[in-house]
Amino acid sequence: MKKKIIYMISMIVLVTVIIVMMILPKREIVSVSLFSDTATITYTDAESLQIIGDAIRTVKKVPGAVDVGPPSYRMTVTYEDSEAVQYSVYMDFQTKNGFLIKDSNSERMLDLRKKNSEELADLLAK
């Protein structure tokens, strides 16, 4: 009896999560601006925004606080509702490994997944 109840509750929760994920719209990025000591880059094309959006959506939060030096880039991501979110981008262009730090939570490192880090490094190196 208990197993059936647990199974039913689990199914209800799973179905609810799936429905909510389908209903909630993804926030669309309309532009990304990156600033460094030597360059300012703004992306508005669909392919570049997709690469950057995928990188942001798939980060892995690293536990603990970080203390790092100056970033490779400062990045402003602007969404369709005009909200702007600021990140620091740390990228090693030789190994194509990188991570982000969101300004609103500057002690938390957001590790880029390997594929996304490589794509972002290639995009920024153009």
Side-chain angles (χ1 to χ4, degrees):
M1 183 71 176
K2 285 185 180 181
K3 287 183 180 180
K4 284 185 178 183
I5 293 172
I6 292 172
Y7 177 75
M8 288 176 60
I9 291 172
S10 298
M11 290 302 295
I12 291 169
V13 169
L14 178 63
V15 169
T16 304
V17 167
I18 291 171
I19 290 171
V20 168
M21 300 224 10
M22 291 173 64
I23 293 173
L24 289 177
K26 289 184 181 177
R27 293 180 13 166
E28 291 293 322
I29 297 172
V30 293
S31 72
V32 175
S33 298
L34 291 117
F35 310 93
S36 73
D37 292 338
T38 59
T40 299
I41 308 165
T42 299
Y43 296 104
T44 56
D45 64 287
E47 182 180 354
S48 299
L49 296 179
Q50 182 71 40
I51 290 169
I52 295 167
D54 288 348
I56 292 170
R57 281 188 289 277
T58 61
V59 294
K60 179 181 170 187
K61 294 178 182 173
V62 177
V66 295
D67 183 21
V68 294
S72 306
Y73 290 94
R74 300 279 303 129
M75 179 170 70
T76 302
V77 178
T78 305
Y79 292 91
E80 65 187 346
D81 62 0
S82 299
E83 180 186 2
V85 180
Q86 308 251 333
Y87 295 89
S88 294
V89 179
Y90 294 84
M91 182 64 66
D92 181 334
F93 288 98
Q94 290 181 350
T95 63
K96 296 186 179 181
N97 288 325
F99 64 92
L100 305 174
I101 295 179
K102 192 173 184 179
D103 281 9
S104 62
N105 190 359
S106 61
E107 292 185 356
R108 176 64 57 115
M109 186 171 95
L110 306 170
D111 194 24
L112 294 168
R113 304 218 182 261
K114 183 162 179 58
K115 176 183 179 258
N116 300 110
S117 185
E118 290 172 352
E119 288 177 349
L120 186 57
D122 290 342
L123 177 65
L124 296 176
K126 289 181 182 178

